């Protein structure tokens, strides 16, 4: 029960942590007028932190228990958000040159603390959660997190409509999220590892694990696919809200409604995607989801203020396709990771995909800023950017189709392997999709 309270109460701040979400996008680009280049740099920080934590977490884990690291980083992150909520009242709203370094510092701190916290929490969880119960228990827990995420977005939408997206309303959302996070951390304090989970066989050496990974061509191709796809999505994903705010003239509560529709669309279609994955395999379903997902950008290319109503069905469609892709991505990675080299395989996958995904918004943000500063029409700049995004996305699909999908049973639990998907999904309000654990129902015998 305490773990469920922890997950549900922490979901609002976990959503806000990612600067690509629509609330923070409005805060940075609308309230404080940061340029696309500065915004792209800030958006890249969570992915950069996913890479840097590889060098920070092992030394900390050597000297401190996982529970202590989890609690300290959680309290530090919550305190940082509270400090930023207060600082917003004193930052100059008309001087991006002065406010940009402050936001960079805050979000770099948030990202590093959250990344280390995620690894430590996953490690600590394995101390008290029996392996035989993890899938069903966390599947139930993540279903509640899904409901909490939708409720949070609905409440944010109502709040922003009531206060017309004011800075004070955003500060209120942050403070409430921090209070809920404090409640979740108190629940973590009360969690005790009364019965450690069953142990596993002694792992191979690092050299032996590296050799195992080098022999796994399918895993290497899958990592390449993840890097290309991460670059494709994160190059423009964080800029969807910016385009809707600045070019389409939509308000924050409009975009909040789009995110709610997107989240509901993903939640409704997850069972269907799960059945397709079980019957047709992950690779083919994922490839179909990518093609269907990219098809919407044929309409994004023609979006303007006169036909912005198209965004309602487009965001629902985005939720449909993202859910199927993400479920397949998680299941396929579990199949491809060699059990005897699980630790280093997860580390390599996270490091490679994180660093490539981190570079994407920096490049696209700089390119958009350059084009705008040289007199290009802003609407056309974004239209061409949406079209160009489809090129690496389709290339990633071709790489995916060359991956051999084995029929071996997936690992029972690989915590943290999909960290980048959690990061990307939260931009769309879909944090629960990456945490979803698809459990094949037990076949009942004849009566």
């Amino acid at each position: 029960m305490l773990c469920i309270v922890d997950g549900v109460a922490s979901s609002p701040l976990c959503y806000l942590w990612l600067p690509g979400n629509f609330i923070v996008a409005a805060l940075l680009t609308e309230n404080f007028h940061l340029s696309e280049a500065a915004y792209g740099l800030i958006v890249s920080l969570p992915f950069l932190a996913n890479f840097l934590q590889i060098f920070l977490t092992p030394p900390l884990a050597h000297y401190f228990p996982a529970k202590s690291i989890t609690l300290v980083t959680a309290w530090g992150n919550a305190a940082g958000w509270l400090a930023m909520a207060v600082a917003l009242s004193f930052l100059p709203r008309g001087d991006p040159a002065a406010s940009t370094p402050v936001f960079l510092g805050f979000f770099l701190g948030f990202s590093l603390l959250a990344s280390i916290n995620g690894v430590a929490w996953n490690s600590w969880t394995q101390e008290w959660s029996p392996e035989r119960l993890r899938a069903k228990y966390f599947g139930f827990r993540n279903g509640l997190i899904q409901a909490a995420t939708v409720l949070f977005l609905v409440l944010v939408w109502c709040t922003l409509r009531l206060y017309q997206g004011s800075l004070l309303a955003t500060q209120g959302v942050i403070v409430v999220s921090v209070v809920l996070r404090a409640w979740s951390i108190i629940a973590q304090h009360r969690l005790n590892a009364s019965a450690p989970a069953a142990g596993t066989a002694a792992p191979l050496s690092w050299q032996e694990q590296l050799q195992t990974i080098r022999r796994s061509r399918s895993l290497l191709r899958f990592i390449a696919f993840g890097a290309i796809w991460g670059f494709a999505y994160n190059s423009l994903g964080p800029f969807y809200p910016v385009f809707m705010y600045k070019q389409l003239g939509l308000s924050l509560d409009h975009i909040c409604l789009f995110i709610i529709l997107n989240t509901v669309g993903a939640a409704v279609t997850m069972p269907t995607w799960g059945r397709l994955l079980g019957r047709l395999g992950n690779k083919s379903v994922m490839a179909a989801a990518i093609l269907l997902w990219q098809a919407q950008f044929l309409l994004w290319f023609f979006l303007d203020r006169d036909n912005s109503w198209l965004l309602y069905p487009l965001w629902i469609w985005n939720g449909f396709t993202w859910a199927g892709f993400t479920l397949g991505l998680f299941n396929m990675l579990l199949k491809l990771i060699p059990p005897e080299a699980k630790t280093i395989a997860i580390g390599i996958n996270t490091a490679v995909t994180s660093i490539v995904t981190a570079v994407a918004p920096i490049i696209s943000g700089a390119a958009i800023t350059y084009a705008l500063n040289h007199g290009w029409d802003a609407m056309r700049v974004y239209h061409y950017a949406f079209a160009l995004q489809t090129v690496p996305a389709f290339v990633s699909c071709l790489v995916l189709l060359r991956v051999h999908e084995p029929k071996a049973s997936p690992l029972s639990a690989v915590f943290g392997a999909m960290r980048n998907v959690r990061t990307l999904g939260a931009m769309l309000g879909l944090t629960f999709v990456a945490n979803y654990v698809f459990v094949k129902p037990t076949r009942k015998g004849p009566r």
Side-chain angles (χ1 to χ4, degrees):
M1 183 61 188
L2 291 172
C3 187
I4 291 175
V5 171
D6 167 37
V8 170
S10 65
S11 59
L13 193 62
C14 290
Y15 180 79
L16 289 177
W17 156 59
L18 300 161
N21 71 77
F22 73 98
I23 301 172
V24 174
L27 174 68
L28 299 180
T29 63
E30 291 293 288
N31 291 110
F32 288 92
H33 308 290
L34 269 64
S35 68
E36 280 81 353
Y39 175 66
L41 179 58
I42 292 175
V43 168
S44 73
L45 294 178
F47 302 96
L48 179 62
N50 287 344
F51 174 76
L52 293 177
Q53 64 82 23
I54 297 174
F55 308 100
L56 300 174
T57 304
L60 290 172
H62 180 73
Y63 292 103
F64 304 101
K67 181 177 181 179
S68 298
I69 299 174
T70 301
L71 294 174
V72 170
T73 53
W75 280 120
N77 200 18
W81 273 99
L82 187 60
M84 191 181 78
V86 175
L88 292 178
S89 298
F90 302 96
L91 289 175
R93 298 178 65 177
D95 188 1
S99 59
T100 295
V102 177
F103 285 119
L104 279 169
F106 272 120
F107 280 100
L108 178 60
F110 299 154
S111 300
L112 286 173
L113 288 171
S115 187
I116 295 172
N117 176 269
V119 175
W121 186 88
N122 289 328
S123 177
W124 175 39
T125 300
Q126 296 183 63
E127 296 179 8
W128 55 264
S129 60
E131 186 172 348
R132 60 186 176 84
L133 299 178
R134 283 177 192 161
K136 291 185 179 181
Y137 173 76
F138 284 104
F140 172 73
R141 175 181 181 270
N142 293 329
L144 295 178
I145 293 176
Q146 168 187 339
T149 302
V150 174
L151 178 60
F152 169 68
L153 292 173
V154 170
L155 292 176
V156 168
W157 178 50
C158 295
T159 301
L160 296 176
R161 282 183 63 87
L162 181 62
Y163 293 98
Q164 299 181 345
S166 68
L167 180 62
L168 183 61
T170 303
Q171 289 174 294
V173 170
I174 294 174
V175 171
V176 170
S177 300
V178 170
V179 171
L180 290 172
R181 180 55 172 154
W183 183 24
S184 78
I185 301 172
I186 292 172
Q188 288 183 353
H189 275 281
R190 298 175 60 190
L191 272 170
N192 293 310
S194 56
T200 58
L204 299 175
S205 66
W206 289 102
Q207 292 79 7
E208 292 172 322
Q209 291 188 55
L210 283 172
Q211 291 175 2
T212 300
I213 293 171
R214 278 198 295 265
R215 290 193 295 266
S216 179
R217 293 183 179 273
S218 291
L219 176 60
L220 295 177
R221 286 174 180 167
F222 189 77
I223 292 173
F225 154 74
I228 298 171
W229 176 82
F231 181 91
Y233 181 79
N234 209 37
S235 60
L236 264 298
F239 294 93
Y240 300 152
V242 179
F243 171 72
M244 290 185 285
Y245 290 137
K246 292 187 174 182
Q247 307 310 320
L248 301 185
L250 299 176
S251 63
L252 188 57
D253 62 281
H254 275 104
I255 298 176
C256 186
L257 179 58
F258 295 150
I259 299 297
I260 293 171
L261 294 174
N262 187 74
T263 306
V264 173
V268 168
T269 56
M270 272 198 300
T272 301
W273 284 114
R275 288 191 292 271
L276 287 173
L277 290 166
R279 186 168 67 248
L280 303 177
N282 298 297
K283 182 171 68 173
S284 58
V285 173
M286 287 170 60
I290 291 176
L291 295 175
L292 293 172
W293 171 51
Q294 291 300 303
Q296 68 172 306
F297 290 104
L298 297 175
L299 292 177
W300 277 81
F301 186 83
F302 298 101
L303 277 176
D304 55 34
R305 295 191 179 217
D306 294 330
N307 60 12
S308 60
W309 60 268
L310 287 170
L311 286 169
Y312 290 97
L314 284 176
W315 276 99
I316 296 175
W317 182 257
N318 198 76
F320 288 170
T321 53
W322 177 274
F325 172 77
T326 307
L327 288 178
L329 191 68
F330 182 71
N331 290 332
M332 192 165 181
L333 181 61
L334 294 183
K335 283 188 173 184
L336 293 175
I337 289 179
E340 66 275 15
K342 178 178 68 174
T343 302
I344 194 169
I346 293 174
I348 291 174
N349 177 70
T350 303
V352 172
T353 54
S354 293
I355 199 66
V356 174
T357 307
V359 170
I362 299 176
I363 295 175
S364 55
I368 292 172
T369 299
Y370 176 86
L372 296 179
N373 289 342
H374 284 75
W376 292 31
D377 178 71
M379 186 73 76
R380 285 294 141 198
V381 168
Y382 277 98
H383 283 170
Y384 292 138
F386 292 142
L388 288 174
Q389 176 196 268
T390 62
V391 176
F394 284 127
V395 171
S396 72
C397 189
L398 295 176
V399 175
L400 173 64
L401 292 175
R402 296 191 61 192
V403 177
H404 172 67
E405 181 178 357
K407 295 182 180 180
S409 299
L411 301 175
S412 59
V414 180
F415 292 112
M418 302 305 294
R419 189 177 312 280
N420 286 330
V421 175
R422 292 187 178 95
T423 308
L424 293 169
M427 296 179 186
L428 306 174
L430 299 178
T431 49
F432 68 87
V433 176
N435 292 323
Y436 182 83
V437 179
F438 178 71
V439 182
K440 186 177 181 179
T442 303
R443 186 182 300 274
K444 296 181 180 180
R447 292 183 180 180

